[in-house]
């Protein structure tokens, strides 16, 4: 790091109060998005707060600091991260940081085809593309945008490019909206180099969540009706998804079941919001304003010590009670998912 190289922090590994080693940082690059997905924005006419995002200079320095503390996986999220015009330069800089082994992006896919080659050249390791339906009309009803063809093309290009072993497709399952498509979705993904990730609809703020819309993993499996086998691969298995293969098909089916199969015990991640707040738990109120510390001129060692202090707080990365025991519900567009 360029700052405070003569000094060292008291510790060099992030381990929280619950003895979980923290190695993964999700970085929201912007609150803005060109889609208005109902489970993220709820009210499509809602006015979004000013996008007070950190400049690349601050982001790169913060990622350098966290990499020194053991973070080795970065995922850029939003809003829609490809609305940030300097993202290619950002990825190129982050890819050169010592200790960073993986750089991913979660995108709605609308602009991905345009930037895909440059993103891969810059150092992008993997891509997650949101697609909740294979039906054009349902796509517009969910997102508010007539953009199915552009997103579908982006997935095809990413899958055929050879840049990634598997292209991850995120599908939030909602009853009577897209759950009836699961068998077709599964067949489509298995025939391709796609990791289709069926995600349980979470009870977040302004999402329109209700038990009438919720479909749990067990019911999802009943809808698919395939004898799935656990994926023995280990290269990307650190995370909330449980991964499965079917026979000799190239694709993979995964489940992210935060509601019915809580995975808090193994959580290894932190989140950085677009304005520089470090968040330990998606459903927790605790945050550390790293952006403000940068603006005030705190040196790297002081920032590291503040991070250690926060991560060591049992409430900052809470583990007990689950979603429904917590009063706080996050705005997903503000915390980057």
């Amino acid at each position: 790091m360029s700052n405070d190289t003569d000094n060292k922090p008291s510790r060099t590994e992030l381990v929280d109060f619950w003895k979980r080693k923290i190695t993964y940082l999700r970085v929201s690059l912007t609150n803005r998005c060109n889609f208005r997905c109902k489970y993220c924005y709820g009210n499509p006419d809602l006015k979004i707060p000013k996008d007070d995002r950190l400049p690349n200079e601050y982001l790169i320095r913060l990622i350098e600091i966290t990499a020194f503390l053991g973070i080795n996986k970065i995922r850029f999220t939003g809003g829609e991260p490809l609305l940030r015009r300097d993202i290619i330069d950002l990825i190129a800089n982050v890819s050169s940081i010592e200790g960073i082994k993986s750089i991913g992006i979660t995108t709605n896919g609308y602009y991905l085809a345009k930037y895909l080659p440059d993103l891969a050249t810059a150092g992008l390791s993997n891509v997650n593309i949101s697609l909740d339906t294979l039906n054009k009309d349902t796509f517009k009803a969910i997102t508010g945008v007539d953009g199915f063809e552009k997103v579908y093309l982006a997935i095809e290009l990413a899958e055929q490019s050879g840049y990634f072993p598997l292209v991850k497709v995120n599908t939030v399952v909602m009853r009577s909206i897209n759950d009836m498509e699961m068998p077709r979705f599964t067949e489509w993904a298995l025939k391709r180099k796609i990791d289709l990730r069926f995600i349980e609809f979470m009870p977040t703020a302004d999402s329109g969540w209700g038990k009438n819309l919720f479909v749990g993993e067990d019911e999802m499996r009943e809808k698919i009706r395939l004898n799935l086998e656990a994926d023995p691969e280990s290269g990307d298995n650190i995370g909330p998804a449980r991964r499965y293969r079917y026979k000799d098909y190239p694709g993979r089916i995964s489940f992210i079941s935060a509601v019915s199969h809580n995975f808090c015990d193994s959580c290894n991640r932190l989140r950085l919001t677009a304005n520089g707040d470090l968040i330990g738990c998606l459903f927790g109120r605790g945050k550390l304003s790293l952006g403000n510390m940068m603006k005030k001129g705190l040196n790297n060692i002081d920032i590291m010590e503040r991070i250690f202090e926060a991560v060591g707080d049992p409430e900052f990365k809470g583990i007990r009670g689950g979603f429904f025991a917590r009063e706080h519900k996050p705005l997903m567009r503000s915390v980057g998912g």
Side-chain angles (χ1 to χ4, degrees):
M1 291 180 292
S2 59
N3 193 319
D4 309 319
T5 53
D6 295 333
N7 299 312
K8 294 182 179 180
S10 59
R11 295 154 288 179
T12 57
E13 188 176 75
L14 278 178
V15 179
D16 71 10
F17 179 87
W18 309 100
K19 308 303 180 185
R20 295 171 295 188
K21 186 176 180 180
I22 311 302
T23 59
Y24 177 14
L25 180 66
R26 294 177 66 94
V27 181
S28 177
L29 296 182
T30 177
N31 293 333
R32 295 172 54 227
C33 187
N34 55 313
F35 283 12
R36 289 295 181 267
C37 298
K38 291 183 177 180
Y39 52 77
C40 187
Y41 278 81
N43 179 3
D45 298 322
L46 190 69
K47 190 171 182 179
I48 307 305
K50 182 181 177 182
D51 195 17
D52 185 24
R53 59 192 187 187
L54 294 180
N56 274 6
E57 175 187 355
Y58 284 6
L59 282 173
I60 293 166
R61 184 178 158 205
L62 286 175
I63 292 172
E64 285 180 332
I65 289 171
T66 58
F68 187 80
L69 301 180
I71 295 292
N72 57 41
K73 179 179 179 180
I74 301 294
R75 175 162 298 279
F76 292 115
T77 67
E80 171 48 46
L82 292 181
L83 289 176
R84 182 143 175 164
R85 296 179 181 179
D86 52 9
I87 187 172
I88 293 170
D89 288 340
L90 178 60
I91 289 175
N93 279 282
V94 171
S95 67
S96 67
I97 295 175
E98 183 178 357
I100 298 299
K101 299 177 181 178
S102 173
I103 302 174
I105 185 174
T106 296
T107 172
N108 62 33
Y110 191 83
Y111 297 109
L112 182 61
K114 177 180 178 182
Y115 295 114
L116 184 59
D118 289 336
L119 289 167
T121 300
L124 189 69
S125 308
N126 54 78
V127 61
N128 289 33
I129 305 169
S130 296
L131 182 69
D132 296 317
T133 177
L134 293 173
N135 180 282
K136 179 180 178 180
D137 293 334
T138 305
F139 182 95
K140 186 174 182 179
I142 292 173
T143 67
V145 175
D146 186 12
F148 175 79
E149 287 86 357
K150 293 190 74 168
V151 175
Y152 192 88
L153 174 62
I155 293 172
E156 286 189 324
L157 291 175
E159 188 237 336
Q160 296 167 11
S161 68
Y163 295 140
F164 319 105
L166 288 173
V167 173
K168 296 178 181 178
V169 173
N170 292 345
T171 301
V172 177
V173 179
M174 296 166 283
R175 189 179 307 281
S176 301
I177 296 177
N178 63 350
D179 63 316
M180 68 288 290
E181 293 188 57
M182 290 187 68
R184 180 186 173 203
F185 239 134
T186 300
E187 182 181 3
W188 169 79
L190 286 174
K191 292 179 178 178
R192 295 164 172 81
K193 293 180 180 179
I194 287 175
D195 178 5
L196 179 60
R197 297 146 62 90
F198 287 124
I199 302 173
E200 289 183 349
F201 188 10
M202 291 192 298
T204 56
D206 198 32
S207 66
W209 188 91
K211 291 184 178 180
N212 60 311
L213 294 175
F214 178 74
V215 181
E217 179 184 331
D218 292 346
E219 185 178 350
M220 292 184 199
R221 288 173 176 272
E222 291 178 4
K223 291 178 180 293
I224 293 173
R225 293 189 178 278
L226 290 179
N227 186 21
L228 299 172
E229 297 182 358
D231 185 0
E233 296 181 10
S234 59
D236 63 347
N237 278 2
I238 298 176
R242 292 191 287 186
R243 302 155 168 85
Y244 299 88
R245 297 279 187 174
Y246 180 69
K247 296 183 178 180
D248 294 325
Y249 284 85
R252 186 166 68 187
I253 303 299
S254 300
F255 299 93
I256 299 180
S257 309
V259 179
S260 68
H261 294 76
N262 189 296
F263 43 76
C264 293
D265 287 358
S266 60
C267 180
N268 67 333
R269 68 182 62 183
L270 297 171
R271 292 171 174 82
L272 186 68
T273 67
N275 67 352
D277 287 341
L278 189 70
I279 297 175
C281 177
L282 186 60
F283 281 75
R285 293 185 181 276
K287 64 182 181 180
L288 184 66
S289 298
L290 298 184
N292 288 338
M293 294 180 195
M294 300 284 285
K295 294 173 184 176
K296 292 178 180 178
L298 267 70
N299 62 46
N300 290 348
I301 303 302
D302 287 342
I303 292 175
M304 288 182 195
E305 293 297 342
R306 298 286 185 89
I307 294 173
F308 280 125
E309 182 180 351
V311 170
D313 185 335
E315 292 299 319
F316 186 72
K317 278 193 64 61
I319 196 173
R320 301 288 183 260
F323 301 133
F324 301 103
R326 292 175 174 266
E327 295 181 0
H328 177 66
K329 299 292 186 290
L331 284 167
M332 295 300 281
R333 60 181 177 270
S334 298
V335 299

